[in-house]
Amino acid sequence: PNCLITLQRKGRTFGYFCRKRFVRDDGTPCDEIALNPVHFKSRSLEESLSTLVHEMVHLWQHHFGTSGRGRYHNRQWADKMKSIGLQPSHTGAPGGNELGDQMTHYIIEGGAFARACKELTGKGFKIEWRDDAPAQTSTVPLALTKGGALSGAIGKRPATPSPKAGKRVKYSCPACGLNAWAKHGAHLLCGEDQLPMDAT
């Protein structure tokens, strides 16, 4: 089904899927696929489009399949990814696990996605606008979830505040903006969105 595609700079990810994130005036709900424009300039067009398609698989599974529990990327998700030419891998490289809580992918050479992407870009399709913010430096695998709707792209981790004895760090949910304070290095999840909260 149709969904809203948004651009979100918050968070440490290339993109994510949230089920029923928006609602129209008449009460009709709509899912969201968010892409992070900060990474458009550091990644190829093919890589950025593969993130969109990765999130479309989560959308498909939410409506026509059975999503894994919590943040878990299950066998149905992995099989669908492979059938469209994206190889699940927790490392983003050959040999990585296909299933798990933290999951990304790489493009299968000559696969359905690679062929469709080549045809699309051959017609002149491109992303003309880029975020002009400085790129982050380190990468970490990250899977995001919203009520059983899973995501999994490798994202860029923002700089982590340096630890200070007795100093609490502010953490924020990338989806709803909820704030919490905890010790440096804590791993917090937003209870509403079930997303990892970022140190800010």
Side-chain angles (χ1 to χ4, degrees), residues 107-118:
I107 298 167
I108 298 172
E109 188 175 342
F113 172 82
R115 294 192 310 271
C117 191
K118 184 176 182 179

Side-chain angles (χ1 to χ4, degrees), residues 3 29 35 57 77 127 175 179:
C3 71
L35 298 176
V57 173
W77 174 86
I127 299 174
N179 295 321

